[in-house]
Amino acid sequence: MSSSIKIESVVKEKNRMGECPVWEERESALVYVDINSQKVCRWSPLTNEVQSVSVDARVSSVALRQCGGYVIALGTRFAFLDWDTQAVTTILELEQNKPNNRFNDGKVDPKGRFFAGTMAEETAPGVRARRQGALYTLFPDHSVIKQLDQVDISNGLDWSLDHRTFFHIDSLAYAVHAFSYDVHTGKIACPKLLYHLEKEEQMPDGMCIDAEGKLWVACIDGGRVIRIDPETGKRIQTVRLPTPRITSCCFGGKDYSEMYVTSAYDGLDETTLAKEPHAGEIFKVSRFPFFPYIRPAKPRA
């Protein structure tokens, strides 16, 4: 079946490092973070207004709470964010022995646990300590376990539709890995390589899954999202975006048939930035016939 793709820039307010988009049904809005501006943001397609809450550290990921508000990963701590009061309540601080680390991408699993991983910051352009990161799980009772260690840049993550497989990206491995996943305990095991990015695809960043069980991976500096079939380990589609630093993606909108894609302008020099007027914007990708959509898990964090 043939299909046509429509790409629109819908959030013109530019993000230094837009990341971790998630659609919030109760607000009919897209929630996301600007890591380097230390802001959690919410965009309404009805009003085209962007609201934001500033926090005291780089905030890398956000997820919805059943009771309202959000759980966030900022600096090296998990916290709750009350949108109305802008209050941030720390749940737990981790990796206090690694002052150069911070959290990165995060997402809620099918049982409402919040998975988020860490990474070492650069000490100079292109220079960072290797294998300093980890992947953690925050349970609804606020306990935390470490799932992975010696990670470089813990990044995109999601779960298969049958809840038996966990997918994870360590960006500096330039690959997507699949793990066995126990939905009852939240534990992961038995990693295997699923897909290694090709040179022109550059580095993998955020990731989401569609209703056909296919993965969509954002390629930072590759200017695209790619669709991967986990059954075959093959790339089956490429959607190119009008700016290079593509960071993450999610499905949203009234029936979750639209893909929202975040981007960044940090990391582009002045000459390149002058040629990239859309850097840092957020894009809506529509497909006709529609994308195979999937509603995200209901978080209990």
Side-chain angles (χ1 to χ4, degrees):
M1 182 184 294
S2 62
S3 62
S4 60
I5 294 287
K6 181 181 180 182
I7 299 172
E8 306 169 73
S9 173
V10 291
V11 182
K12 303 289 187 180
E13 188 171 308
K14 297 181 183 297
N15 296 283
R16 292 180 60 187
M17 186 62 67
E19 272 281 9
C20 198
V22 58
W23 183 257
E24 185 170 13
E25 281 188 37
R26 60 187 152 218
E27 298 290 338
S28 297
L30 185 73
V31 181
Y32 57 97
V33 299
D34 185 342
I35 297 177
N36 294 346
S37 294
Q38 300 182 189
K39 295 191 301 186
V40 181
C41 305
R42 193 163 74 187
W43 169 72
S44 168
L46 300 177
T47 65
N48 201 32
E49 179 185 9
V50 177
Q51 300 174 315
S52 64
V53 174
S54 295
V55 295
D56 65 3
R58 290 184 175 179
V59 54
S60 59
S61 47
V62 57
L64 316 178
R65 300 184 69 195
Q66 270 188 343
C67 60
Y70 308 100
V71 59
I72 58 177
L74 73 165
T76 53
R77 68 191 197 267
F78 287 117
F80 294 133
L81 170 63
D82 184 308
W83 188 264
D84 294 329
T85 67
Q86 302 193 5
V88 175
T89 305
T90 296
I91 304 167
L92 186 68
E93 185 152 5
L94 300 163
E95 300 189 357
Q96 295 183 59
N97 62 328
K98 294 182 177 181
N100 203 44
N101 273 22
R102 68 161 172 85
F103 267 112
N104 202 38
D105 208 356
K107 190 170 288 184
V108 172
D109 84 347
K111 291 293 186 180
R113 312 172 187 103
F114 185 46
F115 280 56
T118 58
M119 57 175 278
E121 292 274 36
E122 290 185 343
T123 54
V127 178
R128 77 176 76 240
R130 298 296 301 271
R131 298 180 178 85
Q132 295 299 302
L135 177 68
Y136 297 93
T137 301
L138 170 67
F139 286 76
D141 65 1
H142 302 177
S143 62
V144 174
I145 63 169
K146 183 187 289 187
Q147 299 267 21
L148 295 174
D149 208 351
Q150 296 190 341
V151 177
D152 277 314
I153 301 177
S154 183
N155 226 321
L157 60 170
D158 221 321
W159 292 262
S160 62
L161 302 187
D162 63 7
H163 301 167
R164 297 177 64 182
T165 305
F166 169 69
F167 303 105
H168 180 254
I169 289 170
D170 184 347
S171 290
L172 292 189
Y174 291 83
V176 181
H177 284 85
F179 296 73
S180 62
Y181 169 70
D182 187 327
V183 71
H184 302 293
T185 65
K187 298 288 184 66
I188 65 173
C190 306
K192 64 176 182 179
L193 176 65
L194 178 65
Y195 181 82
H196 193 278
L197 273 75
E198 298 180 4
K199 184 177 180 181
E200 68 271 14
E201 293 166 345
Q202 297 289 335
M203 183 184 291
D205 201 329
M207 174 170 61
C208 67
I209 195 166
D210 65 31
E212 293 180 350
K214 307 300 190 288
L215 297 171
W216 290 87
V217 178
C219 302
I220 193 163
D221 296 323
R224 67 194 72 189
V225 290
I226 57 175
R227 191 179 188 218
I228 297 167
D229 186 344
E231 296 296 319
T232 64
K234 303 293 185 183
R235 183 191 67 238
I236 54 178
Q237 189 174 358
T238 298
V239 176
R240 288 177 170 81
L241 283 302
T243 192
R245 306 218 79 200
I246 298 302
T247 54
S248 194
C249 52
C250 77
F251 287 96
K254 184 179 178 181
D255 58 4
Y256 285 82
S257 63
E258 301 161 340
M259 182 190 294
Y260 289 96
V261 181
T262 52
S263 73
Y265 69 79
D266 272 7
L268 299 176
D269 59 38
E270 289 187 12
T271 302
T272 305
L273 198 55
K275 300 175 183 177
E276 299 292 344
H278 297 294
E281 298 178 358
I282 297 178
F283 306 93
K284 181 176 75 174
V285 182
S286 308
R287 189 174 78 177
F288 306 94
F290 297 118
F291 280 114
Y293 63 85
I294 181 170
R295 283 176 168 78
K298 296 292 185 183
R300 296 191 295 124

